[in-house]
Amino acid sequence: MALSDVSMRDVGVHLERVPKATLRAHIVERLRSAILAGDIPPGAPLVETALSERFEVSRGPLREALRQLIEEGLVVTVPYTGTRVAELSVEDVHEIYSLRTVLETFAFEQVWPRRDDRFRAELKRRNEALIATIDAGEDRASILAELEFHGLVYEASGHKLLQRAWHGLRGRLQLYWAAHHRAHGRRGPKRDSHDSYIRAALGSDFEAMKAEIADHMRRGMETTERFLRSLPTSSGKPRRGDNS
């Protein structure tokens, strides 16, 4: 089925009724979960009237929720078209991973001489939290835990512009990691996917850390790219970059 043919009726079964308390937050959570699970696929339109009926809420809090998801990068507004779930493209994957390689290398460059016991313990703790979500089969939680794991070096850098750049990538990363997991047919990353990353991050060789970041990003990019190339587009045409 083409993405343009997907209606909220088709995916509405996955959007449960929202409690009255903390309405906007519940709408955000339900929509985010449905998007990351693939229940509302990339490119699918988000029609306010249909969503309002599904959640049995007024359009005010719904619009606030959609604005938050737009800021997170999970939802986009297309001129003359409307609001849609952000689409995944091969070109986007190349850009996001190449930018992450540069940003994460720079973040570790800022932190490298200032890594202390607290940083080392927190990196291990966040990896243990990630592994716990993987063992529990909680895909959505594992995506958030992986964001927290990689986010530590940005937090520790104290570099405000770098932190803003990282925050701007988080929404798309959630989409890509969800696609990455589906590409592997699993609920979360592999348990040992960050073992070599942690060894390098806790070691004394910055060049080894740079090499590990580049390799870590390349592996993620290649797997996600293969998955995206297998997906149809709303027009049925090859995805951008698929002819390369």
Side-chain angles (χ1 to χ4, degrees):
M1 180 182 294
L3 293 181
S4 58
D5 295 331
V6 176
S7 67
M8 294 313 303
R9 181 179 301 172
D10 296 321
V11 298
V13 67
H14 301 284
L15 304 178
E16 301 171 18
R17 183 176 299 181
V18 178
K20 297 299 182 182
T22 60
L23 198 53
R24 181 187 60 80
H26 277 280
I27 297 171
V28 168
E29 179 61 25
R30 301 292 189 187
L31 279 172
R32 187 191 290 116
S33 295
I35 290 169
L36 294 181
D39 297 331
I40 306 179
L46 298 173
V47 182
E48 285 188 9
T49 52
L51 288 172
S52 180
E53 291 175 4
R54 173 58 55 185
F55 287 118
E56 297 183 353
V57 298
S58 65
R59 294 170 72 173
L62 176 62
R63 286 174 179 169
E64 292 177 4
L66 289 174
R67 279 197 293 269
Q68 180 173 332
L69 292 174
I70 289 170
E71 291 177 0
E72 293 180 10
L74 291 173
V75 172
V76 295
T77 299
V78 182
Y80 311 109
T81 301
T83 303
R84 296 178 174 271
V85 177
E87 286 203 74
L88 303 170
S89 76
V90 173
E91 286 182 358
D92 288 341
V93 169
H94 287 175
E95 288 187 3
I96 200 81
Y97 279 105
S98 62
L99 182 58
R100 277 196 69 204
T101 300
V102 173
L103 292 180
E104 207 138 318
T105 300
F106 178 69
F108 267 102
E109 187 176 48
Q110 304 304 301
V111 169
W112 200 255
R114 296 186 285 109
R115 293 170 301 154
D116 53 17
D117 291 342
R118 183 178 178 182
F119 176 87
R120 297 168 191 274
E122 181 63 11
L123 188 67
K124 293 177 182 178
R125 187 197 67 77
R126 294 192 187 195
N127 187 56
E128 290 169 357
L130 172 58
I131 291 173
T133 64
I134 297 169
D135 290 344
E138 298 174 353
D139 188 52
R140 166 97 167 79
S142 76
I143 290 173
L144 295 178
E146 191 165 4
L147 282 172
E148 290 301 305
F149 173 82
H150 282 281
L152 175 62
V153 69
Y154 297 93
E155 297 167 21
S157 73
H159 195 297
K160 293 182 180 179
L161 287 179
L162 178 61
Q163 291 166 354
R164 288 176 60 185
W166 165 247
H167 182 77
L169 293 176
R170 287 171 59 98
R172 285 300 179 94
L173 280 176
Q174 292 180 68
L175 282 176
Y176 295 145
W177 284 343
H180 189 153
H181 298 170
R182 292 199 296 275
H184 283 290
R186 63 178 182 239
R187 306 292 290 177
K190 294 170 61 178
R191 292 182 91 256
D192 62 352
S193 60
H194 292 90
D195 287 359
S196 59
Y197 184 98
I198 291 174
R199 283 195 298 271
L202 301 181
S204 59
D205 187 345
F206 181 64
E207 292 303 314
M209 184 72 240
K210 288 171 59 178
E212 172 58 30
I213 291 170
D215 190 53
H216 188 81
M217 302 303 172
R218 177 189 56 76
R219 292 194 305 267
M221 180 185 70
E222 290 176 350
T223 304
T224 308
E225 179 182 345
R226 284 194 299 269
F227 176 71
L228 292 180
R229 288 184 187 278
S230 71
L231 298 178
T233 62
S234 57
S235 65
K237 296 180 180 179
R239 291 183 173 271
R240 290 180 296 161
D242 284 7
N243 294 324
S244 60

